[in-house]
Amino acid sequence: MKIKKLTFRLLYRFLLIFSLTLSGNFAISQVTGTINGYVRDSKSLAPISGISVRILEMDKGTSTDSTGFFRLTELPTRTYTLEASGTGFRTVQKFDIVVSSGNTSEINFEMETAITELTNIVVKANFAKPVGVVNSVQSLGIQEIAKYPGANFDMSKVVQSLPGVSGSVGFRNDIIIRGGAPNENSYFLDGVEIPTINHFATQGAAGGPVGMLNVSFIDKVTLHTSAFPAKYDNPLSGVLQFRLKEGNPDKIQGNVRLSASEAAATLEGPLGKRNGKTTFMASVRRSYLQFIFKIIELPFLPDYWDYQYKLNHKIDKKNEISIIGLGSIDNFTFNKPEDATLEQLAILDAIPLNTQRTNTIGISWRHAMPRGYWQLVASKNTLTNTADKFENNEEGDESKRILKYRSMEDENRLRYEINNNFGEWQVGAGAVMIYADYENSTYQRRTYGTVDYENSLGFLRYGAYASLTRKFFDNRLSVTGGVRADGNNFTETGNDPGRTFSPRLAFAYSLARGLNFNASVGRYYKIPPYTILGYSENGKEVNNDVEYIKSDHFVAGLEWLPSSSIRVTAEGFIKKYGNYPVSSNLGISLANLGGDFGVLGNEKVTSTGEGETYGFELLFQKRLTKHFYGIMAYTYYYSKFSGTDGILLPSAWDNRHLVSFTGGYKFGKNWEVGVRFRYQGGAPFTPWDNYLSLENYPFTSEAVLDYPRLNTLRLESFHAMDLRIDKKFNFSKWSLDLFLDIQNLYNSLNPTAPGWTLQRNPDETIATTTGEPYNPGIYGDPTAPNNRQKAIGVLIPQDSGSRLPSVGFVIEF
């Protein structure tokens, strides 16, 4: 009932704002906007002068100046296609360029050297890949990101529309790529590695319920699902690279956004004189999820802030320095209802009080050379994580403490890379050094005993790589090869880089105009999470004998570009894992345990696990032309991992079928409708062990899974649809975008494994089969009298899902 009341309240609010906007006496005629940006060489990233930039829908254009900058002014407010062309370069088009009277639209181009075929027709590079990449790569532009239905401006949800990518059903933002675990991905923000992109992240696994990147900063997102460029360290399943915009050099501008769960403000512009060399961007976001959760009487209240900034300074035409920053403040509190249901009490039993702080700062210096460029990046990442849990949530009573967790991860990175061209050879090389500092203090009651330790370690990580790219047979065949090796001075075999030697080879062959055959093979390594490396028992680090996790990839497929705005791909893939961490206490691969925990890997493990994922994926992508845009993907795969017994079992991510469609239609007068549909096959899960749960639950607030039946059951499949309607109003100096976003349009249930708790009496005490008072005994004393087995275990259905309409606005000024 409360959810329905909230729904009506939100709809009323949208209609009220919409009506007031329509009835207002606004001067909205003859409003115009501006497009500006830079054009750079894709190989050297140096500015290109004299490039023609024009709007295809009207007879208007301009040329870039000596710094590669262009500006188009007095454009009627609507959507355009922008084209950049010049002698010696492949023509590039950018679709779905929205011009408003509020913010200047920043559009940047990277142009490749022209390849003229026998017919003397220049091929357009509208789906250009990064240099040296031939397959398993997808990208999304700013307009595809900003108005993604159901995502609520959350980058993690946007990425889940791409082929091979799924997320956990429910409130988590795990990014699961081709059946690999969420912690198998690496994230880069303008070349600066960041440990996580989510609030309330699972330490050691990266997933969390809410993303923390502000979409107002994002220019482009590129996802590699295999054939990783050798410069990236630590990926096993995916690399997500977020390219940030630069601040507007013309004027101070900004936006204010109110959406389903947050309020955000962004400001950008020149520092100093107009059209100067230095620009900035800065933003802050504030959650109000806690207020909504309180209204609908959820028993927990998440609360977060985040901030993001970027400074960019062009020293001269060849040198550029940028500073980026990203941080979050996450708090978690309880909200126990007066008449709590059994389900609410079970949630309160299971969730600890949690706080997290993250901070990333990075500075990069890029220098353009005649045939390439080099880049030097220094960065620092810090994550602090605390969690506390007491029996019956009786805070302050140390005798009833279940969990006290204090952890800090700190990385100081220095990375250098150089890319150059020698004739027809493109050569890349680089190195990275990382000093890691990790601290952990843990007290936790667990099924197999108490974990109680403190540890602090600092160690050096390092790596180096080289890559070559060349085209043959009149540019019909493109071949890329690379090698990489990494090491560290902490693990027993870490100082032997030969153990992580990772060769890779990829090629693309043009079968016909617009039709390519692509294939790649590669070996990739990842160091285990710090939560594993820093775990100790009796004052001794017990996991320093672990190995780097290994994954071998084999990929082949076709890419077809039937027109300048359409891309179709089909790929088959195989991934073979080795040295995968296995829990010493449970004998189970960490990949088979799922992601529903606060910390991954805070235990003794062995590097004895193996795994495999294999399948195929299909993609159809259409950029905006004739009012319509869309992306549709289908993936079929298996994901299996083994524990100490060597038997491959379905992993927690073995959904088998993934279907996603995201599309939209732009009507006249700045109306737009977007739809997102997703389908996931049922995920495996493990039933509860009732006997062990009755023994364990009173002291740990955790039930015990029936591990001999690991992942033998499977949930129902999940499907849902989201809808978003936008209407933009342009005024003389600002614009207003009103939107209605309805998540889970047809009220589909999210199938979730049932929870387990103890039956309660009306006064919330534990019920027993005999009616006698419940006596759990004394933790740690197996001889103490108790009647734990007379308690009543209850399965709690956790299927959730409600239609969630929200209204909001974006004001640009």
Side-chain angles (χ1 to χ4, degrees), residues 772-811:
E772 63 188 274
Y774 178 63
N775 175 23
I778 301 172
Y779 178 69
D781 183 359
T783 64
N786 70 85
N787 61 355
R788 290 192 293 269
Q789 288 299 318
K790 293 183 179 179
I792 305 167
V794 180
L795 292 179
I796 302 291
Q798 297 193 122
D799 290 354
S800 61
S802 298
R803 186 181 298 109
L804 296 174
S806 63
V807 297
F809 61 81
V810 180
I811 297 175

Side-chain angles (χ1 to χ4, degrees), residues 120-427:
N120 292 322
I121 297 176
V122 177
V123 178
K124 295 178 180 178
N126 298 330
F127 292 95
K129 303 180 182 70
V131 175
V133 175
V134 302
N135 65 347
S136 298
V137 63
Q138 316 291 342
S139 64
L140 294 173
I142 178 58
Q143 294 303 325
E144 294 168 294
I145 296 167
K147 296 183 179 180
Y148 191 86
N152 192 31
F153 304 97
D154 192 326
M155 287 303 311
S156 297
K157 289 185 172 64
V158 173
V159 171
Q160 292 172 15
S161 68
L162 296 174
V165 184
S166 65
S168 299
V169 174
F171 294 101
R172 290 181 58 83
N173 260 355
D174 295 309
I175 296 177
I176 301 162
I177 297 176
R178 291 179 171 177
N183 66 341
E184 296 178 14
N185 308 320
S186 296
Y187 307 98
F188 292 85
L189 202 62
D190 266 6
V192 175
E193 185 169 8
I194 53 178
T196 180
I197 59 174
N198 288 305
H199 288 280
F200 304 101
T202 298
Q203 191 174 355
V210 183
M212 66 178 182
L213 295 180
N214 188 344
V215 297
S216 296
F217 276 67
I218 306 299
D219 178 50
K220 183 180 180 181
V221 178
T222 301
L223 171 67
H224 300 263
T225 54
S226 189
F228 308 127
K231 66 180 180 179
Y232 295 123
D233 63 307
N234 249 16
L236 294 178
S237 283
V239 173
L240 266 169
Q241 187 171 14
F242 302 93
R243 188 174 71 190
L244 302 181
K245 298 190 296 184
E246 296 178 8
N248 184 11
D250 286 343
K251 65 174 184 177
I252 298 292
Q253 65 181 30
N255 66 69
V256 177
R257 183 176 75 236
L258 184 70
S259 62
S261 61
E262 66 183 22
T266 303
L267 197 66
E268 62 174 291
L271 280 178
K273 63 180 183 179
R274 181 176 178 268
N275 298 326
K277 295 182 177 181
T278 307
T279 61
F280 79 95
M281 293 188 72
S283 76
V284 63
R285 297 193 308 168
R286 173 74 163 102
S287 160
Y288 56 83
L289 270 176
Q290 64 274 23
F291 305 120
I292 297 176
F293 280 27
K294 193 168 187 177
I295 290 172
I296 61 179
E297 294 187 349
L298 286 178
F300 56 92
L301 305 176
D303 176 18
Y304 65 82
W305 289 81
D306 62 48
Y307 56 88
Q308 194 168 339
Y309 57 86
K310 178 178 180 178
L311 293 173
N312 198 81
H313 178 66
K314 294 176 173 58
I315 301 173
D316 52 38
K317 293 181 182 179
K318 294 184 177 181
N319 294 279
E320 186 173 323
I321 291 177
S322 65
I323 301 173
I324 69 164
L326 174 69
S328 66
I329 302 171
D330 303 339
N331 297 302
F332 212 82
T333 56
F334 292 144
N335 176 44
K336 183 179 178 181
E338 290 185 7
D339 297 316
T341 64
L342 187 60
E343 182 180 1
Q344 290 170 329
L345 291 173
I347 293 173
L348 288 170
D349 280 348
I351 297 177
L353 284 172
N354 176 249
T355 64
Q356 276 191 11
R357 304 289 185 270
T358 65
N359 183 63
T360 295
I361 183 170
I363 180 169
S364 66
W365 175 15
R366 190 177 69 223
H367 173 76
M369 301 182 297
R371 297 184 303 274
Y373 72 94
W374 59 257
Q375 186 171 25
L376 182 67
V377 180
S379 62
K380 181 182 181 66
N381 298 314
T382 304
L383 180 149
T384 60
N385 191 14
T386 71
D388 293 279
K389 187 67 187 168
F390 296 84
E391 293 179 26
N392 301 318
N393 294 311
E394 296 180 16
E395 299 176 45
D397 187 347
E398 290 299 316
S399 67
K400 295 188 176 182
R401 180 179 286 277
I402 295 172
L403 170 68
K404 182 178 181 180
Y405 183 83
R406 306 289 184 268
S407 180
M408 186 276 293
E409 297 180 8
D410 186 85
E411 285 185 341
N412 296 277
R413 290 174 164 261
L414 183 65
R415 179 170 58 84
Y416 177 81
E417 65 174 277
I418 184 169
N419 299 274
N420 214 337
N421 295 275
F422 299 94
E424 296 181 340
W425 292 92
Q426 299 172 32
V427 180

Side-chain angles (χ1 to χ4, degrees), residues 337-590:
E338 290 185 7
D339 297 316
T341 64
L342 187 60
E343 182 180 1
Q344 290 170 329
L345 291 173
I347 293 173
L348 288 170
D349 280 348
I351 297 177
L353 284 172
N354 176 249
T355 64
Q356 276 191 11
R357 304 289 185 270
T358 65
N359 183 63
T360 295
I361 183 170
I363 180 169
S364 66
W365 175 15
R366 190 177 69 223
H367 173 76
M369 301 182 297
R371 297 184 303 274
Y373 72 94
W374 59 257
Q375 186 171 25
L376 182 67
V377 180
S379 62
K380 181 182 181 66
N381 298 314
T382 304
L383 180 149
T384 60
N385 191 14
T386 71
D388 293 279
K389 187 67 187 168
F390 296 84
E391 293 179 26
N392 301 318
N393 294 311
E394 296 180 16
E395 299 176 45
D397 187 347
E398 290 299 316
S399 67
K400 295 188 176 182
R401 180 179 286 277
I402 295 172
L403 170 68
K404 182 178 181 180
Y405 183 83
R406 306 289 184 268
S407 180
M408 186 276 293
E409 297 180 8
D410 186 85
E411 285 185 341
N412 296 277
R413 290 174 164 261
L414 183 65
R415 179 170 58 84
Y416 177 81
E417 65 174 277
I418 184 169
N419 299 274
N420 214 337
N421 295 275
F422 299 94
E424 296 181 340
W425 292 92
Q426 299 172 32
V427 180
V432 62
M433 294 191 69
I434 307 163
Y435 184 77
D437 185 16
Y438 178 73
E439 298 176 2
N440 192 309
S441 173
T442 299
Y443 170 85
Q444 185 176 12
R445 300 178 185 175
R446 288 185 175 171
T447 306
Y448 46 79
T450 301
V451 174
D452 190 0
Y453 77 94
E454 290 188 16
N455 192 28
S456 177
L457 61 91
F459 64 98
L460 184 68
R461 293 169 50 194
Y462 51 88
Y465 75 91
S467 63
L468 289 171
T469 299
R470 193 183 190 281
K471 294 185 178 181
F472 302 89
F473 308 129
D474 294 327
N475 296 311
R476 295 179 69 90
L477 175 66
S478 177
V479 180
T480 296
V483 293
R484 183 180 182 93
D486 294 273
N488 72 86
N489 66 354
F490 172 71
T491 61
E492 291 179 355
T493 59
N495 271 326
D496 182 2
R499 300 178 71 93
T500 61
F501 181 74
S502 53
R504 58 206 71 190
L505 179 68
F507 72 89
Y509 184 76
S510 177
L511 301 173
R513 176 182 296 279
L515 180 62
N516 295 325
F517 173 75
N518 308 315
S520 65
V521 59
R523 170 166 289 181
Y524 311 101
Y525 286 94
K526 174 184 174 62
I527 193 169
Y530 295 126
T531 50
I532 289 177
L533 299 178
Y535 179 74
S536 69
E537 293 179 354
N538 301 317
K540 181 182 178 182
E541 292 151 353
V542 296
N543 286 332
N544 60 351
D545 60 346
V546 296
E547 300 282 352
Y548 279 73
I549 308 168
K550 180 182 69 175
S551 182
D552 294 334
H553 290 207
F554 308 89
V555 181
L558 295 171
E559 179 184 45
W560 181 40
L561 304 175
S563 73
S564 63
S565 61
I566 294 177
R567 178 174 181 245
V568 181
T569 65
E571 281 192 356
F573 59 89
I574 299 172
K575 294 193 291 185
K576 295 283 189 179
Y577 290 87
N579 305 335
Y580 214 92
V582 173
S583 169
S584 295
N585 291 298
L586 302 175
I588 293 170
S589 171
L590 298 191

Side-chain angles (χ1 to χ4, degrees), residues 172 174 202 593-598 653 752 798:
R172 290 181 58 83
D174 295 309
T202 298
L593 293 178
D596 192 16
F597 34 70
W653 331 111
T752 307
Q798 297 193 122

